[in-house]
Amino acid sequence: MLGAAALTLSSCQPKDPYLGKTSIDSVVQAMTLEEKAALVVGMGMEGSTDGQTATVGSTKNLVPGAAGTTRPLERLGVTPVVLADGPAGLRIDPTREGDPATYYCTHFPIGTLLASTWNPDLIEQVGQSMGQEVKEYGADVLLAPALNIHRNPLNGRNFEYYSEDPVVSGKTAAAYVRGVQSNDVGTSIKHFAFNNQETNRTGVDAVISPRAIREIYLKGFEITVKESDPWTVMTSYNKINGTYTSQEKDLVTTILRDEWGFGGLVMTDWYGGDNAAEQIAAGNDLMEPGTDLQYKQIVDAVKAGKLSEKDLDACVRRVLELVVRTPRFKGYAYSNKPDLKAHAEVTRTSALEGMVLLKNEGGTLPLKGVKNVAVFGNTSYDFIAGGTGSGNVNRAYTVSLIEGLRNGGFTVDDSRGKAVLNYMADEAGKERAKLDPSLAAFLPIPRPAELLPTPAELSGILAKNDVAIITIGRTSGEFFDRTSPDFNLNPSERKLLTMVTDAFHKAGKKVIVVLNVGGVVETSSWKGQPDAILLAWQAGQEGGNSVTDILSGKKSPSGKLTMTFPVNLMDAASSENFPIDLDVPLSFMNRRTPSGEKDVDICKYEEGIYVGYRWFDKQNMEVSYPFGYGLSYTAFEYSEPKVALEGNTVKASVTVKNIGEVPGKEVVQLYVSAPEGTLDKPVRELRAYAKTSELPAGQAERVELSFKVEDLASFDEAQSAWVVDAGTYDIQFASSSRDIRQRASLDVKGSKKKVANVLNIK
Ligand code: BGC
């Protein structure tokens, strides 16, 4: 309907202005109102005009399975732009009707694992590989990276996100963007901003203080914009202090464009917001996937004088600026043959660098003199590559732990394998049958209870094997949050852990737990039982191989936690007002505003800036594993800390020596404690970090870290200003947020930078 209207009118326009041949302005001037509205509203999705139908992935015409496209305007030379998910690799349909070829993409590690590498160079390499798949499969913009803050362990999408800390989030996302965009394809950093829960994600109003907005929730986006120049930004579904983010000019224009200098395009999340005219006025340039209603809202608003055509032109111009950057506009002849083999190697090696060794008593790992391995836990057989929803990738295979161990030369006892796999398939079938079929493909199927070995099976396995590995798995994904039972180990997992550790320990044999999870789980109550715990995350399609590379000692683990593992879920400050275990019915859009239900319409971020370690340190609270924590097979010594001011930059350096016996990499974290000032401050805050190269035993490296003096600022709401207090700052070189190895101090002059007084709580 909308296409027909636009095209009839457009066919009588002069042919002269043509994108690429004449200026963008001349093309804008030549466009009718209807064409303009058509350009800023995407092509839509098959079978869905009301925004309520789950048809993600049905853009069949250009790149099947891509999430959306912009509208072509042939007479003006405007080609469409293909937008495709998502953070763990490109998500398109793997097969096409009547076409024998396959279009699998590489499933790279989830965001949380990538961040846990603390290695921007490596993340950039992963991004380069992803970007090559985007380009060679004919897409133009990858709808990633996703960098919302891990405010609470239960956010269903934490697996796509990076950290509870904005510096880690921002640096990780910036590296990712640089990598992907090195292929001359685009990214869309998302979800801007404050998407910290899935419960009622399209209706919830996030009520946040300006200080927390600036210091915690926007900081990572600011870093990414400034350090990597992403082509596009995707606004989030939720509201911020009463207004949908896509309709909030103070966010999309005042802060993003005017303050940070963002020059690219802003698009909505899929069907996000509720008024396209307001979105245009706010500076949200593109509505995706696009509905007839949005088109009408824009045309009507301009005709009624409620939306200025100048505002619409600004958005149109930015869409055209995006169009001309794309490979499609430039006529790139994509091959449909990305280098999947090389990328499998990239995912395997990058994954092992983000795995975090949580416990390793008595040098249990790496496995030495071990040949026969017993595996327990349903997940060992059905390894989880990543999360579900738009962050999933249609991969050709997933290497399970069993396959990985076998590839690594171990003899694996899977006498129970067939039974476990049959049981898993049956249980998954039953769960799937309970789901609305239109959503089933997008939802994580709950993991069934562990199929426990009988005592006879267990003693048979014990007799034949040198060591036991128990995998504990969790799936999560878009549309809903995890629950407290999902955070805790379930009774069958506890039973399995106890049975296996008791039996193996009695026989003098060790037990290793592998956590194949996308987010934080409770560890405090059971971590005493096994001898070693490896947090493998969800490591992409080569997961089993990557885990084996760590277990076997091919590589020393060098990942560190980018979030705190609390003792209890309720220890996190945000748990007080996070929608824990709310039984909100599920629908594609899940919009429930106003529902009148407590905790569904509004989420008050009462903890302010005290998210993650900022909170646990302030409270001096015991945690299970602190932010920044992670063991290695070797050990590192820190010496000769130095800090100096060079102009506007704080330059710090420290010598790190490998004092163990095997090669390894260390992540050096630079925390800063501010002097007493007018504002309340966290105990310490991460300001920079760096990873050493792989240091052979006995070798040392001088590690250099730097940050800008202005990064020391806190946001003073009373003055609407970033304020650096004058005084002596305590600079800490640390192996984790609770393992400070060296210190130095730095005298800093005070400064103040005023910014627009916006986004206040109404
Ligand atoms: C998700 C986005 C995604 C989009 C397109 C939405 O439901 O929130 O992250 O990019 O769908 O698939």
Side-chain angles (χ1 to χ4, degrees):
M1 190 181 88
L2 119 78
L7 290 177
T8 324
L9 278 159
S10 66
S11 53
C12 32
Q13 295 300 308
K15 275 205 173 265
D16 284 343
Y18 204 80
L19 198 62
K21 299 214 163 69
T22 56
S23 70
I24 287 184
D25 276 342
S26 69
V27 175
V28 178
Q29 272 163 28
M31 288 169 78
T32 62
L33 169 62
E34 287 74 9
E35 282 175 326
K36 290 175 186 173
L39 189 66
V40 297
V41 174
M43 286 283 278
M45 277 181 173
E46 212 172 72
S48 176
T49 49
D50 59 358
Q52 301 303 313
T53 323
T55 50
V56 175
S58 64
T59 316
K60 294 276 180 219
N61 52 344
L62 290 171
V63 178
T69 44
T70 63
R71 188 170 291 275
L73 295 171
E74 276 167 35
R75 77 169 186 103
L76 296 166
V78 181
T79 51
V81 180
V82 174
L83 313 163
D85 287 307
L90 179 66
R91 188 175 67 87
I92 57 173
D93 290 346
T95 52
R96 297 174 186 175
E97 243 174 68
D99 179 350
T102 55
Y103 301 83
Y104 287 108
C105 299
T106 307
H107 197 312
F108 293 90
I110 58 167
T112 305
L113 184 151
L114 284 184
S116 307
T117 67
W118 299 67
N119 185 345
D121 293 343
L122 182 89
I123 296 161
E124 202 168 319
Q125 252 177 287
V126 173
Q128 267 163 22
S129 305
M130 284 182 189
Q132 203 234 355
E133 296 190 16
V134 173
K135 191 166 185 181
E136 291 310 323
Y137 276 136
D140 299 300
V141 176
L142 184 68
L143 301 171
L147 65 143
N148 295 86
I149 290 290
H150 289 191
R151 173 176 175 251
N152 188 272
L154 296 189
N155 178 11
R157 291 188 92 170
N158 275 352
F159 76 96
E160 292 183 63
Y161 302 155
Y162 296 134
S163 176
E164 66 190 22
D165 180 84
V167 173
V168 176
S169 302
K171 300 267 176 199
T172 303
Y176 182 117
V177 169
R178 287 193 299 267
V180 173
Q181 292 191 174
S182 69
N183 294 278
D184 292 325
V185 293
T187 55
S188 194
I189 64 172
K190 66 189 189 184
H191 307 88
F192 188 61
F194 327 108
N195 168 228
N196 307 105
Q197 66 184 60
E198 286 298 280
T199 307
N200 193 24
R201 66 177 181 171
T202 50
V204 70
D205 182 13
V207 176
I208 318 179
S209 72
R211 181 172 180 191
I213 286 177
R214 299 266 187 177
E215 290 184 24
I216 305 293
Y217 296 100
L218 291 187
K219 197 51 152 185
F221 285 97
E222 180 179 359
I223 293 171
T224 314
V225 165
K226 291 182 174 166
E227 295 188 3
S228 67
D229 203 7
W231 286 17
T232 80
V233 169
M234 185 192 294
T235 43
S236 57
Y237 282 132
N238 49 278
K239 297 176 181 174
I240 175 66
N241 293 338
T243 308
Y244 279 113
T245 55
S246 56
Q247 287 158 218
E248 180 51 88
K249 189 171 183 180
D250 287 339
L251 179 69
V252 174
T253 296
T254 311
I255 292 183
L256 177 66
R257 292 204 164 93
D258 301 346
E259 229 175 75
W260 302 348
F262 176 69
L265 171 136
V266 177
M267 70 179 82
T268 60
D269 196 348
W270 268 228
Y271 305 109
D274 66 355
N275 187 321
E278 281 181 25
Q279 285 165 322
I280 294 291
N284 187 113
D285 310 300
L286 177 65
M287 317 305 133
E288 280 297 330
T291 65
D292 288 359
L293 175 65
Q294 289 169 326
Y295 168 84
K296 194 171 167 332
Q297 280 171 341
I298 294 168
V299 172
D300 289 354
V302 173
K303 285 187 177 158
K306 289 187 182 146
L307 172 65
S308 98
E309 196 155 350
K310 227 171 112 219
D311 283 351
L312 179 58
D313 286 354
C315 297
V316 167
R317 196 172 297 113
R318 287 191 287 257
V319 175
L320 294 177
E321 282 165 0
L322 173 66
V323 170
V324 298
R325 293 178 103 168
T326 59
R328 177 160 278 92
F329 179 78
K330 293 176 185 159
Y332 181 71
Y334 53 94
S335 64
N336 274 327
K337 287 194 172 47
D339 196 347
L340 297 179
K341 216 162 156 224
H343 299 167
E345 194 50 34
V346 171
T347 181
R348 177 174 178 164
T349 49
S350 57
L352 61 94
E353 202 164 320
M355 293 183 182
V356 185
L357 184 62
L358 295 177
K359 175 177 181 181
N360 194 18
E361 212 150 273
T364 301
L365 293 175
L367 298 172
K368 280 176 242 112
V370 165
K371 182 80 194 135
N372 298 309
V373 181
V375 289
F376 297 93
N378 301 337
T379 305
S380 296
Y381 298 86
D382 180 32
F383 221 53
I384 305 162
T388 56
S390 60
N392 187 21
V393 177
N394 294 313
R395 60 197 167 270
Y397 62 87
T398 306
V399 178
S400 74
L401 181 61
I402 312 251
E403 289 162 323
L405 288 166
R406 287 204 175 119
N407 295 341
F410 294 98
T411 303
V412 186
D413 185 339
D414 73 345
S415 41
R416 300 176 60 248
K418 221 169 165 185
V420 174
L421 283 171
N422 287 341
Y423 160 79
M424 295 280 289
D426 285 355
E427 294 300 305
K430 281 185 222 157
E431 288 295 336
R432 207 170 279 119
K434 288 187 211 157
L435 295 170
D436 172 344
S438 66
L439 296 173
F442 282 95
L443 300 180
I445 304 296
R447 316 287 296 167
E450 292 298 332
L451 187 68
L452 298 173
T454 62
E457 280 173 334
L458 182 58
S459 62
I461 294 171
L462 173 64
K464 284 193 243 140
N465 291 285
D466 309 318
V467 75
I469 299 178
I470 305 174
T471 306
I472 292 172
R474 289 286 179 279
T475 34
S476 64
E478 199 172 339
F479 303 120
F480 65 94
D481 291 315
R482 296 172 58 210
T483 58
S484 60
D486 193 70
F487 177 80
N488 295 314
L489 255 49
N490 66 44
S492 71
E493 288 165 334
R494 286 184 190 279
K495 186 98 203 281
L496 180 69
L497 194 59
T498 304
M499 282 173 85
V500 175
T501 47
D502 283 357
F504 273 69
H505 286 168
K506 254 189 218 140
K509 297 177 183 181
K510 309 253 184 175
V511 178
I512 298 140
V513 167
V514 171
L515 292 173
N516 185 198
V517 298
V520 178
V521 290
E522 188 275 321
T523 48
S524 175
S525 68
W526 58 268
K527 67 182 178 186
Q529 289 180 268
D531 303 278
I533 306 173
L534 179 67
L535 173 58
W537 294 122
Q538 293 164 346
Q541 68 185 39
E542 288 281 326
N545 284 334
S546 307
V547 173
T548 304
D549 289 343
I550 296 282
L551 298 179
S552 67
K554 191 167 159 191
K555 284 280 172 198
S556 179
S558 63
K560 300 223 183 186
L561 296 180
T562 59
M563 75 299 287
T564 310
F565 272 49
V567 172
N568 296 302
L569 176 61
M570 294 313 290
D571 290 350
S574 58
S575 290
E576 276 299 318
N577 44 37
F578 189 87
I580 295 178
D581 302 345
L582 286 188
D583 195 15
V584 178
L586 207 65
S587 72
F588 175 51
M589 288 306 288
N590 206 14
R591 191 185 309 235
R592 291 170 68 78
T593 292
S595 69
E597 289 163 82
K598 181 180 170 295
D599 297 337
V600 170
D601 293 342
I602 288 188
C603 185
K604 293 186 179 169
Y605 291 32
E606 277 162 1
E607 70 285 354
I609 60 166
Y610 290 104
V611 177
Y613 68 90
R614 287 169 169 82
W615 167 254
F616 296 110
D617 286 354
K618 193 78 174 176
Q619 299 300 308
N620 204 6
M621 199 186 276
E622 190 199 331
V623 299
S624 190
Y625 295 110
F627 175 82
Y629 171 87
L631 300 173
S632 162
Y633 293 155
T634 186
F636 301 94
E637 183 187 77
Y638 290 47
S639 62
E640 296 172 71
K642 279 211 180 86
V643 178
L645 212 51
E646 277 182 29
N648 228 352
T649 305
V650 179
K651 296 236 166 162
S653 58
V654 70
T655 298
V656 174
K657 185 175 178 189
N658 179 350
I659 54 166
E661 275 151 28
V662 295
K665 297 183 180 183
E666 167 72 333
V667 176
V668 180
Q669 299 154 46
L670 199 68
Y671 295 92
V672 179
S673 301
E676 191 81 17
T678 44
L679 294 179
D680 184 34
K681 299 265 182 159
V683 176
R684 64 178 58 83
E685 291 182 277
L686 185 78
R687 296 301 185 202
Y689 58 88
K691 195 166 196 172
T692 66
S693 54
E694 187 169 75
L695 292 174
Q699 202 150 306
E701 184 174 300
R702 191 79 192 153
V703 176
E704 313 215 321
L705 308 111
S706 64
F707 61 88
K708 294 260 179 292
V709 175
E710 66 193 43
D711 295 340
L712 292 170
S714 297
F715 188 74
D716 184 353
E717 292 176 1
Q719 309 185 65
S720 192
W722 287 100
V723 176
V724 177
D725 282 327
T728 304
Y729 285 73
D730 177 20
I731 315 283
Q732 300 145 31
F733 299 83
S735 182
S736 91
S737 61
R738 294 212 170 163
D739 184 4
I740 313 296
R741 300 293 186 84
Q742 292 288 347
R743 306 183 107 97
S745 56
L746 182 74
D747 291 331
V748 172
K749 284 196 204 118
S751 66
K752 185 162 85 181
K753 189 175 147 207
K754 277 207 167 267
V755 290
N757 185 359
V758 291
L759 300 184
N760 291 300
I761 297 176
K762 280 155 205 146

